[in-house]
PDB file of all heavy atoms in Angstrom:
ATOM      1  N   SER F 145       0.834  -1.173  -0.023  1.00  0.00           N
ATOM      2  CA  SER F 145      -0.018  -0.023  -0.008  1.00  0.00           C
ATOM      3  C   SER F 145       0.917   1.238   0.029  1.00  0.00           C
ATOM      4  O   SER F 145       1.915   1.273   0.645  1.00  0.00           O
ATOM      5  CB  SER F 145      -0.940   0.024   1.235  1.00  0.00           C
ATOM      6  OG  SER F 145      -1.783  -1.055   1.211  1.00  0.00           O
ATOM      7  N   GLY F 146       0.422   2.271  -0.703  1.00  0.00           N
ATOM      8  CA  GLY F 146       1.238   3.500  -0.765  1.00  0.00           C
ATOM      9  C   GLY F 146       0.530   4.556  -1.646  1.00  0.00           C
ATOM     10  O   GLY F 146      -0.327   4.281  -2.451  1.00  0.00           O
ATOM     11  N   ASP F 147       0.949   5.810  -1.395  1.00  0.00           N
ATOM     12  CA  ASP F 147       0.424   6.948  -2.224  1.00  0.00           C
ATOM     13  C   ASP F 147       1.371   7.223  -3.448  1.00  0.00           C
ATOM     14  O   ASP F 147       0.895   7.689  -4.427  1.00  0.00           O
ATOM     15  CB  ASP F 147       0.308   8.200  -1.322  1.00  0.00           C
ATOM     16  CG  ASP F 147      -0.725   8.076  -0.269  1.00  0.00           C
ATOM     17  OD1 ASP F 147      -1.830   7.725  -0.656  1.00  0.00           O
ATOM     18  OD2 ASP F 147      -0.408   8.316   0.899  1.00  0.00           O
ATOM     19  N   GLN F 148       2.595   6.883  -3.243  1.00  0.00           N
ATOM     20  CA  GLN F 148       3.551   7.243  -4.350  1.00  0.00           C
ATOM     21  C   GLN F 148       4.604   6.094  -4.494  1.00  0.00           C
ATOM     22  O   GLN F 148       5.162   5.607  -3.503  1.00  0.00           O
ATOM     23  CB  GLN F 148       4.225   8.615  -4.062  1.00  0.00           C
ATOM     24  CG  GLN F 148       5.283   8.902  -5.211  1.00  0.00           C
ATOM     25  CD  GLN F 148       5.811  10.297  -5.012  1.00  0.00           C
ATOM     26  OE1 GLN F 148       5.102  11.333  -5.441  1.00  0.00           O
ATOM     27  NE2 GLN F 148       7.019  10.447  -4.547  1.00  0.00           N
ATOM     28  N   LEU F 149       4.832   5.770  -5.758  1.00  0.00           N
ATOM     29  CA  LEU F 149       5.838   4.757  -6.006  1.00  0.00           C
ATOM     30  C   LEU F 149       7.011   5.417  -6.815  1.00  0.00           C
ATOM     31  O   LEU F 149       6.807   6.104  -7.836  1.00  0.00           O
ATOM     32  CB  LEU F 149       5.318   3.709  -6.895  1.00  0.00           C
ATOM     33  CG  LEU F 149       6.249   2.561  -7.470  1.00  0.00           C
ATOM     34  CD1 LEU F 149       6.796   1.803  -6.314  1.00  0.00           C
ATOM     35  CD2 LEU F 149       5.539   1.656  -8.437  1.00  0.00           C
ATOM     36  N   GLU F 150       8.207   5.271  -6.304  1.00  0.00           N
ATOM     37  CA  GLU F 150       9.399   5.877  -7.007  1.00  0.00           C
ATOM     38  C   GLU F 150      10.286   4.653  -7.315  1.00  0.00           C
ATOM     39  O   GLU F 150      10.365   3.657  -6.715  1.00  0.00           O
ATOM     40  CB  GLU F 150      10.179   6.772  -5.992  1.00  0.00           C
ATOM     41  CG  GLU F 150       9.341   8.024  -5.618  1.00  0.00           C
ATOM     42  CD  GLU F 150      10.177   8.814  -4.589  1.00  0.00           C
ATOM     43  OE1 GLU F 150      11.237   9.394  -5.002  1.00  0.00           O
ATOM     44  OE2 GLU F 150       9.644   8.929  -3.436  1.00  0.00           O
ATOM     45  N   LEU F 151      11.047   4.935  -8.450  1.00  0.00           N
ATOM     46  CA  LEU F 151      11.925   3.953  -8.975  1.00  0.00           C
ATOM     47  C   LEU F 151      13.227   4.535  -9.475  1.00  0.00           C
ATOM     48  O   LEU F 151      13.244   5.564 -10.159  1.00  0.00           O
ATOM     49  CB  LEU F 151      11.266   3.180 -10.122  1.00  0.00           C
ATOM     50  CG  LEU F 151      12.170   2.217 -10.977  1.00  0.00           C
ATOM     51  CD1 LEU F 151      12.631   1.029 -10.132  1.00  0.00           C
ATOM     52  CD2 LEU F 151      11.369   1.646 -12.208  1.00  0.00           C
ATOM     53  N   THR F 152      14.316   3.914  -9.071  1.00  0.00           N
ATOM     54  CA  THR F 152      15.615   4.210  -9.633  1.00  0.00           C
ATOM     55  C   THR F 152      15.954   3.004 -10.536  1.00  0.00           C
ATOM     56  O   THR F 152      15.952   1.860 -10.086  1.00  0.00           O
ATOM     57  CB  THR F 152      16.670   4.393  -8.608  1.00  0.00           C
ATOM     58  OG1 THR F 152      16.354   5.426  -7.728  1.00  0.00           O
ATOM     59  CG2 THR F 152      18.072   4.656  -9.229  1.00  0.00           C
ATOM     60  N   ALA F 153      16.205   3.276 -11.806  1.00  0.00           N
ATOM     61  CA  ALA F 153      16.406   2.194 -12.769  1.00  0.00           C
ATOM     62  C   ALA F 153      17.521   2.503 -13.705  1.00  0.00           C
ATOM     63  O   ALA F 153      17.934   3.640 -13.948  1.00  0.00           O
ATOM     64  CB  ALA F 153      15.184   1.971 -13.629  1.00  0.00           C
ATOM     65  N   MET F 154      18.238   1.412 -14.230  1.00  0.00           N
ATOM     66  CA  MET F 154      19.224   1.547 -15.223  1.00  0.00           C
ATOM     67  C   MET F 154      18.478   1.462 -16.540  1.00  0.00           C
ATOM     68  O   MET F 154      17.986   0.486 -16.954  1.00  0.00           O
ATOM     69  CB  MET F 154      20.245   0.468 -15.147  1.00  0.00           C
ATOM     70  CG  MET F 154      21.272   0.433 -16.274  1.00  0.00           C
ATOM     71  SD  MET F 154      22.476  -0.823 -16.191  1.00  0.00           S
ATOM     72  CE  MET F 154      23.560  -0.177 -14.895  1.00  0.00           C
ATOM     73  N   VAL F 155      18.607   2.590 -17.293  1.00  0.00           N
ATOM     74  CA  VAL F 155      17.947   2.686 -18.604  1.00  0.00           C
ATOM     75  C   VAL F 155      18.988   2.259 -19.670  1.00  0.00           C
ATOM     76  O   VAL F 155      20.091   2.723 -19.727  1.00  0.00           O
ATOM     77  CB  VAL F 155      17.421   4.056 -18.866  1.00  0.00           C
ATOM     78  CG1 VAL F 155      16.801   4.211 -20.302  1.00  0.00           C
ATOM     79  CG2 VAL F 155      16.376   4.439 -17.858  1.00  0.00           C
ATOM     80  N   VAL F 156      18.502   1.366 -20.500  1.00  0.00           N
ATOM     81  CA  VAL F 156      19.470   0.768 -21.513  1.00  0.00           C
ATOM     82  C   VAL F 156      18.943   1.255 -22.943  1.00  0.00           C
ATOM     83  O   VAL F 156      17.824   1.037 -23.248  1.00  0.00           O
ATOM     84  CB  VAL F 156      19.434  -0.802 -21.525  1.00  0.00           C
ATOM     85  CG1 VAL F 156      20.424  -1.408 -22.522  1.00  0.00           C
ATOM     86  CG2 VAL F 156      19.718  -1.332 -20.129  1.00  0.00           C
ATOM     87  N   SER F 157      19.883   1.911 -23.640  1.00  0.00           N
ATOM     88  CA  SER F 157      19.528   2.499 -25.009  1.00  0.00           C
ATOM     89  C   SER F 157      20.473   1.908 -26.038  1.00  0.00           C
ATOM     90  O   SER F 157      21.626   1.550 -25.767  1.00  0.00           O
ATOM     91  CB  SER F 157      19.586   4.004 -24.896  1.00  0.00           C
ATOM     92  OG  SER F 157      18.774   4.537 -23.951  1.00  0.00           O
ATOM     93  N   VAL F 158      20.000   1.884 -27.305  1.00  0.00           N
ATOM     94  CA  VAL F 158      20.736   1.400 -28.396  1.00  0.00           C
ATOM     95  C   VAL F 158      20.575   2.419 -29.616  1.00  0.00           C
ATOM     96  O   VAL F 158      19.511   2.954 -29.689  1.00  0.00           O
ATOM     97  CB  VAL F 158      20.277  -0.032 -28.874  1.00  0.00           C
ATOM     98  CG1 VAL F 158      21.120  -0.494 -29.941  1.00  0.00           C
ATOM     99  CG2 VAL F 158      20.311  -1.013 -27.676  1.00  0.00           C
ATOM    100  N   ARG F 159      21.590   2.554 -30.368  1.00  0.00           N
ATOM    101  CA  ARG F 159      21.411   3.392 -31.493  1.00  0.00           C
ATOM    102  C   ARG F 159      20.274   2.880 -32.422  1.00  0.00           C
ATOM    103  O   ARG F 159      20.240   1.673 -32.701  1.00  0.00           O
ATOM    104  CB  ARG F 159      22.702   3.345 -32.322  1.00  0.00           C
ATOM    105  CG  ARG F 159      23.838   4.129 -31.718  1.00  0.00           C
ATOM    106  CD  ARG F 159      25.031   4.190 -32.585  1.00  0.00           C
ATOM    107  NE  ARG F 159      26.226   4.726 -31.959  1.00  0.00           N
ATOM    108  CZ  ARG F 159      27.410   4.886 -32.501  1.00  0.00           C
ATOM    109  NH1 ARG F 159      27.630   4.484 -33.796  1.00  0.00           N
ATOM    110  NH2 ARG F 159      28.463   5.413 -31.865  1.00  0.00           N
ATOM    111  N   GLU F 160      19.450   3.758 -32.876  1.00  0.00           N
ATOM    112  CA  GLU F 160      18.294   3.376 -33.702  1.00  0.00           C
ATOM    113  C   GLU F 160      18.726   2.568 -34.903  1.00  0.00           C
ATOM    114  O   GLU F 160      18.101   1.509 -35.252  1.00  0.00           O
ATOM    115  CB  GLU F 160      17.502   4.638 -34.183  1.00  0.00           C
ATOM    116  CG  GLU F 160      16.688   5.212 -33.023  1.00  0.00           C
ATOM    117  CD  GLU F 160      15.942   6.368 -33.509  1.00  0.00           C
ATOM    118  OE1 GLU F 160      16.100   6.790 -34.685  1.00  0.00           O
ATOM    119  OE2 GLU F 160      15.108   6.941 -32.739  1.00  0.00           O
ATOM    120  N   THR F 161      19.712   3.025 -35.663  1.00  0.00           N
ATOM    121  CA  THR F 161      20.122   2.296 -36.908  1.00  0.00           C
ATOM    122  C   THR F 161      20.663   0.983 -36.619  1.00  0.00           C
ATOM    123  O   THR F 161      20.385   0.016 -37.323  1.00  0.00           O
ATOM    124  CB  THR F 161      21.161   3.134 -37.644  1.00  0.00           C
ATOM    125  OG1 THR F 161      22.153   3.494 -36.785  1.00  0.00           O
ATOM    126  CG2 THR F 161      20.512   4.419 -38.208  1.00  0.00           C
ATOM    127  N   HIS F 162      21.442   0.835 -35.538  1.00  0.00           N
ATOM    128  CA  HIS F 162      21.990  -0.432 -35.141  1.00  0.00           C
ATOM    129  C   HIS F 162      20.912  -1.436 -34.778  1.00  0.00           C
ATOM    130  O   HIS F 162      20.865  -2.546 -35.169  1.00  0.00           O
ATOM    131  CB  HIS F 162      22.952  -0.217 -33.933  1.00  0.00           C
ATOM    132  CG  HIS F 162      23.669  -1.507 -33.434  1.00  0.00           C
ATOM    133  ND1 HIS F 162      24.209  -2.419 -34.287  1.00  0.00           N
ATOM    134  CD2 HIS F 162      23.743  -1.926 -32.121  1.00  0.00           C
ATOM    135  CE1 HIS F 162      24.661  -3.372 -33.491  1.00  0.00           C
ATOM    136  NE2 HIS F 162      24.394  -3.139 -32.217  1.00  0.00           N
ATOM    137  N   LEU F 163      19.964  -0.943 -33.976  1.00  0.00           N
ATOM    138  CA  LEU F 163      18.807  -1.779 -33.584  1.00  0.00           C
ATOM    139  C   LEU F 163      17.967  -2.196 -34.812  1.00  0.00           C
ATOM    140  O   LEU F 163      17.520  -3.328 -34.843  1.00  0.00           O
ATOM    141  CB  LEU F 163      18.007  -1.005 -32.593  1.00  0.00           C
ATOM    142  CG  LEU F 163      16.805  -1.812 -31.985  1.00  0.00           C
ATOM    143  CD1 LEU F 163      17.261  -3.021 -31.235  1.00  0.00           C
ATOM    144  CD2 LEU F 163      16.037  -0.904 -31.042  1.00  0.00           C
ATOM    145  N   ALA F 164      17.745  -1.263 -35.709  1.00  0.00           N
ATOM    146  CA  ALA F 164      16.965  -1.553 -36.930  1.00  0.00           C
ATOM    147  C   ALA F 164      17.576  -2.590 -37.702  1.00  0.00           C
ATOM    148  O   ALA F 164      16.875  -3.561 -38.224  1.00  0.00           O
ATOM    149  CB  ALA F 164      16.712  -0.284 -37.714  1.00  0.00           C
ATOM    150  N   ASN F 165      18.941  -2.636 -37.803  1.00  0.00           N
ATOM    151  CA  ASN F 165      19.551  -3.651 -38.641  1.00  0.00           C
ATOM    152  C   ASN F 165      19.540  -4.992 -37.999  1.00  0.00           C
ATOM    153  O   ASN F 165      19.379  -6.049 -38.638  1.00  0.00           O
ATOM    154  CB  ASN F 165      21.024  -3.275 -38.846  1.00  0.00           C
ATOM    155  CG  ASN F 165      21.186  -2.086 -39.820  1.00  0.00           C
ATOM    156  OD1 ASN F 165      20.356  -1.929 -40.703  1.00  0.00           O
ATOM    157  ND2 ASN F 165      22.150  -1.267 -39.689  1.00  0.00           N
ATOM    158  N   ILE F 166      19.618  -5.037 -36.622  1.00  0.00           N
ATOM    159  CA  ILE F 166      19.535  -6.263 -35.899  1.00  0.00           C
ATOM    160  C   ILE F 166      18.121  -6.869 -36.085  1.00  0.00           C
ATOM    161  O   ILE F 166      17.954  -8.035 -36.272  1.00  0.00           O
ATOM    162  CB  ILE F 166      19.870  -6.025 -34.450  1.00  0.00           C
ATOM    163  CG1 ILE F 166      21.366  -5.831 -34.290  1.00  0.00           C
ATOM    164  CG2 ILE F 166      19.463  -7.241 -33.565  1.00  0.00           C
ATOM    165  CD1 ILE F 166      21.806  -5.421 -32.905  1.00  0.00           C
ATOM    166  N   ILE F 167      17.121  -6.077 -35.810  1.00  0.00           N
ATOM    167  CA  ILE F 167      15.743  -6.457 -35.955  1.00  0.00           C
ATOM    168  C   ILE F 167      15.437  -7.066 -37.453  1.00  0.00           C
ATOM    169  O   ILE F 167      14.854  -8.059 -37.518  1.00  0.00           O
ATOM    170  CB  ILE F 167      14.734  -5.378 -35.632  1.00  0.00           C
ATOM    171  CG1 ILE F 167      14.862  -4.993 -34.106  1.00  0.00           C
ATOM    172  CG2 ILE F 167      13.293  -5.764 -35.985  1.00  0.00           C
ATOM    173  CD1 ILE F 167      14.117  -3.769 -33.797  1.00  0.00           C
ATOM    174  N   LYS F 168      15.985  -6.324 -38.322  1.00  0.00           N
ATOM    175  CA  LYS F 168      15.746  -6.745 -39.760  1.00  0.00           C
ATOM    176  C   LYS F 168      16.452  -8.133 -39.946  1.00  0.00           C
ATOM    177  O   LYS F 168      15.909  -9.062 -40.648  1.00  0.00           O
ATOM    178  CB  LYS F 168      16.277  -5.718 -40.723  1.00  0.00           C
ATOM    179  CG  LYS F 168      15.888  -6.081 -42.154  1.00  0.00           C
ATOM    180  CD  LYS F 168      16.304  -4.865 -43.125  1.00  0.00           C
ATOM    181  CE  LYS F 168      15.878  -5.250 -44.572  1.00  0.00           C
ATOM    182  NZ  LYS F 168      16.220  -4.045 -45.462  1.00  0.00           N
ATOM    183  N   ALA F 169      17.710  -8.298 -39.470  1.00  0.00           N
ATOM    184  CA  ALA F 169      18.405  -9.559 -39.674  1.00  0.00           C
ATOM    185  C   ALA F 169      17.660 -10.706 -39.016  1.00  0.00           C
ATOM    186  O   ALA F 169      17.601 -11.826 -39.558  1.00  0.00           O
ATOM    187  CB  ALA F 169      19.820  -9.505 -39.147  1.00  0.00           C
ATOM    188  N   ILE F 170      17.166 -10.522 -37.822  1.00  0.00           N
ATOM    189  CA  ILE F 170      16.411 -11.534 -37.156  1.00  0.00           C
ATOM    190  C   ILE F 170      15.206 -11.855 -37.818  1.00  0.00           C
ATOM    191  O   ILE F 170      14.771 -12.981 -38.027  1.00  0.00           O
ATOM    192  CB  ILE F 170      16.133 -11.138 -35.703  1.00  0.00           C
ATOM    193  CG1 ILE F 170      17.495 -10.997 -34.900  1.00  0.00           C
ATOM    194  CG2 ILE F 170      15.254 -12.042 -34.975  1.00  0.00           C
ATOM    195  CD1 ILE F 170      17.382 -10.423 -33.580  1.00  0.00           C
ATOM    196  N   GLU F 171      14.424 -10.841 -38.288  1.00  0.00           N
ATOM    197  CA  GLU F 171      13.168 -11.070 -38.935  1.00  0.00           C
ATOM    198  C   GLU F 171      13.328 -11.770 -40.289  1.00  0.00           C
ATOM    199  O   GLU F 171      12.441 -12.600 -40.707  1.00  0.00           O
ATOM    200  CB  GLU F 171      12.364  -9.775 -39.133  1.00  0.00           C
ATOM    201  CG  GLU F 171      11.810  -9.147 -37.785  1.00  0.00           C
ATOM    202  CD  GLU F 171      11.104  -7.893 -38.018  1.00  0.00           C
ATOM    203  OE1 GLU F 171      11.242  -7.295 -39.023  1.00  0.00           O
ATOM    204  OE2 GLU F 171      10.388  -7.564 -37.081  1.00  0.00           O
ATOM    205  N   ASN F 172      14.428 -11.431 -40.951  1.00  0.00           N
ATOM    206  CA  ASN F 172      14.704 -12.069 -42.288  1.00  0.00           C
ATOM    207  C   ASN F 172      15.020 -13.547 -42.084  1.00  0.00           C
ATOM    208  O   ASN F 172      14.883 -14.384 -43.003  1.00  0.00           O
ATOM    209  CB  ASN F 172      15.888 -11.410 -42.970  1.00  0.00           C
ATOM    210  CG  ASN F 172      15.566 -10.034 -43.611  1.00  0.00           C
ATOM    211  OD1 ASN F 172      14.343  -9.699 -43.557  1.00  0.00           O
ATOM    212  ND2 ASN F 172      16.492  -9.390 -44.077  1.00  0.00           N
TER     213      ASN F 172
END
């Protein structure tokens, strides 16, 4: 139970072009 939830998190980011190529290779 609580009124407010706070979170400290490690945010992981990838270059859009790099990610797009990986996704395309996997989908192919």
Side-chain angles (χ1 to χ4, degrees):
S145 298
D147 293 310
Q148 180 171 281
L149 174 65
E150 297 175 65
L151 171 62
T152 300
M154 174 179 285
V155 177
V156 185
S157 302
V158 184
R159 289 185 188 178
E160 283 182 357
T161 52
H162 179 48
L163 182 61
N165 288 331
I166 287 173
I167 292 173
K168 188 172 182 180
I170 292 171
E171 289 180 344
N172 286 354

